[in-house]
Amino acid sequence: MTDRRHGYARYRLDGCRCYTCAYAVSEYNAHRQRSLTAGTWAPWVDAEPARLHLCALADAGLGSRRVADLTGLRRNTVQNLRHTDRARVRAATAAAILALEPTLDNIAPHAPVSGLGTTRRLRALVRAGWPQSHLAEHVGQTGPIVKNTPRSVTARTARDTRTLYRLIAELDPRAHGIPEHIAQRTRTRATAHGWPGPMCWDDDTIDNPDVEPEWTGRCGTTAGWDIHRREGIPPCPPCRNAHTTRRPRQDTA
């Protein structure tokens, strides 16, 4: 028995006559006829762009098996395209490959990714009062997991941390089994390290290395600097820079 998916290829190569395969052939033939009539029929394209994209996907942790699973292509098709010098490939195959981008959600669990967003999320949770031991248990780690910023973590760790952060970032740890004295001690230690809490980060930008935490709601302005000073929060770099470049008031006669 073939493991080929039902569709045009299985109809042609394996003789399957189920509804799905027959419908795929009918759609293909109709599309081919419309394209021939319009003079746009081009079932084959240059294979090099797709081949180069496959190499880039492999560097990001998406191997042939994973690419095949995500695109619906056969693994042999993906492997042959990547490792041979074939000049042409079917347009549909190339389009499926070129449309695939490496994201945290689709790369292999063991693939290395930047550890910045993971560290920011874990530190924010500690600042909210969640002990490191509690967090480590939920992301499959041991020991003090946020003391230093790792250059990289596995995609699985990054995904698990992101999921945990979304679930508990807005919850009070004291209402979910963390004793008051432990939550307070955890927050105090995080404060001493200068770790920003969940309220300082935007979910859309927390992974961006060019984004600073938003401590005051006005960070990057002189008003933000004033809030830092008034609330006793150590000034962040954007507010420090705004304060440094603040134009002195002009003396009035």
Side-chain angles (χ1 to χ4, degrees), residues 6 44 80 83 94 125 128 133 163 181 187 200 214-215 222 227:
H6 288 278
W44 298 92
N80 291 338
H83 297 294
L125 292 175
S133 58
T163 299
H181 71 284
R187 286 192 293 267
C200 296
E214 179 60 67
W215 294 88
T222 55
I227 296 173

Side-chain angles (χ1 to χ4, degrees), residues 188-215:
T188 299
R189 289 177 176 175
T191 301
H193 285 298
W195 295 345
M199 296 299 293
C200 296
W201 295 110
D202 188 300
D203 285 346
D204 294 332
T205 58
I206 192 171
D207 295 291
N208 188 337
D210 296 325
V211 172
E212 296 284 348
E214 179 60 67
W215 294 88

